[in-house]
Amino acid sequence: MSADVWGARWSANGSLIARRWMEACTAKKSLVILAADRQDMAGLNQLLELVHEHVVALKTHVDLVKDWTPEAWGAFCAKAEGFGMLIFEDRKFADIGKISKQQMGGIYDIRSWADLVTSHLISGPDVVNGLQAGWEEVSREGGILLLAQMSSRGNLLNQDYSDEVVRIGKEQDGVFGFIGNGSEATNIAALRQRLGDEKMIWTPGINLQVGDGELGQRYGNPRDAVLAGADGIIVGSGIHGMNDPCHAARTYADASWQALLERNE
Ligand code: 6AU
């Protein structure tokens, strides 16, 4: 089933974590990653209970959580895993390899619970090895999403920089995929063209209400993003900011899944 639905992405990509993502999406008929931007454990747990049927990965900003404790976080992650979700810490690492490796540990010990993390490549290619070394220290496997584009207005990731991120990252096994600009389908299509079939593109800046958001955020449509080559849509306020987050999550799940089927027809 996954092989049919994912087409070239499946056949080009044998990595364990990529296959896990595609299988999990197929099981839930959804390509939704929830940006779970809540600031306390009660809010996070409530959100998880409401939307888990339609969400395939949980994107966290662990340093937003005011009442964070290792115990509460461990229980939260275990619950999300029980719901068949991957856990994705949007840490946006950017330091040299050696420090990034240490930052995978520290207070939050990201390496012990995150399946995926985001990283900039501004410090050079060794950040990928540093992050992978972090997971190795606890005998876990994980994948990195490199920021090739951003959704925010006026960001400094210009074409040359983005091309270099793709050129370097597409050759590295530790790289699961790339963050693309979900607010602009032509950006995603260009990224997919440079990237080829193998690696994933996940796109933030997705909302059914397209256009400008808060503080420079910009939004594009979920269907357009997937048709342009995105393999995961990152949705925050479009789900957690709605009166009925479960209904909203289902709407994004359906839109993304139908677009994937359409893309591979
Ligand atoms: O849907 P929103 O606007 O409520 O939330 C968007 C989420 C936030 C951002 O930290 C994140 O997506 N994000 C990211 C990443 C890597 O996920 C990159 C980016 O360029 N823009 C962006 O909004 O949690």
Side-chain angles (χ1 to χ4, degrees):
M1 172 75 175
S2 291
D4 298 336
V5 176
W6 286 93
R9 196 80 66 256
W10 180 270
S11 42
N13 200 327
S15 99
L16 249 153
I17 191 147
R19 290 270 170 110
R20 204 175 137 203
W21 165 250
M22 290 185 274
E23 299 260 15
C25 288
T26 309
K28 290 192 178 176
K29 295 190 168 31
S30 166
L31 273 61
V32 173
I33 300 115
L34 172 70
D37 296 333
R38 288 265 169 99
Q39 296 182 12
D40 56 54
M41 291 306 311
L44 283 166
N45 279 299
Q46 184 197 39
L47 200 54
L48 184 58
E49 296 288 350
L50 285 172
V51 304
H52 67 85
E53 276 175 67
H54 311 293
V55 169
V56 190
L58 200 60
K59 187 178 85 66
T60 55
H61 282 302
V62 67
D63 54 353
L64 292 185
V65 186
K66 291 175 184 157
D67 56 351
W68 189 90
T69 63
E71 294 75 25
W73 193 254
F76 173 66
C77 290
K79 203 192 308 178
E81 274 165 17
F83 289 142
M85 293 176 179
L86 279 86
I87 304 186
F88 171 32
E89 168 59 18
D90 186 11
R91 171 63 176 74
K92 297 187 180 71
F93 290 95
D95 213 318
I96 61 171
K98 179 180 67 168
I99 296 300
S100 298
K101 175 182 165 189
Q102 292 177 38
Q103 288 172 323
M104 284 287 272
I107 293 181
Y108 294 121
D109 203 24
I110 294 168
R111 61 192 179 177
S112 294
W113 48 264
D115 301 301
L116 297 158
V117 298
T118 43
S119 180
H120 288 286
L121 204 64
I122 192 75
S123 62
D126 292 287
V127 68
V128 171
N129 298 331
L131 296 172
Q132 286 295 342
W135 275 306
E136 274 161 34
E137 281 187 330
V138 291
S139 306
R140 293 185 77 236
E141 284 183 27
I144 298 158
L145 284 126
L146 293 175
L147 284 108
Q149 298 172 343
M150 291 194 76
S151 63
S152 45
R153 182 175 60 197
N155 70 73
L156 304 182
L157 284 66
N158 65 22
Q159 193 64 54
D160 286 350
Y161 176 80
S162 177
D163 287 350
E164 276 299 280
V165 171
V166 169
R167 186 182 67 77
I168 296 167
K170 73 190 271 198
E171 303 304 332
Q172 288 181 283
D173 288 342
V175 173
F176 167 86
F178 296 82
I179 296 295
N181 172 20
S183 75
E184 181 48 67
T186 57
N187 288 181
I188 303 169
L191 182 58
R192 175 51 71 200
Q193 200 178 7
R194 290 199 300 281
L195 203 52
D197 283 331
E198 182 189 342
K199 303 279 189 189
M200 300 291 156
I201 298 176
W202 283 11
T203 53
I206 296 288
N207 200 298
L208 287 162
Q209 297 285 330
V210 300
D212 290 336
E214 227 176 302
L215 292 172
Q217 177 68 303
R218 300 172 299 182
Y219 292 112
N221 177 274
R223 177 171 180 274
D224 294 347
V226 175
L227 289 177
D231 308 300
I233 54 165
I234 298 173
V235 188
S237 34
I239 295 176
H240 67 69
M242 304 306 279
N243 287 336
D244 185 346
C246 179
H247 179 263
R250 181 182 302 145
T251 307
Y252 284 95
D254 288 348
S256 60
W257 181 249
Q258 288 308 322
L260 181 69
L261 297 180
E262 205 178 312
R263 189 172 89 189
N264 286 306
E265 266 172 9

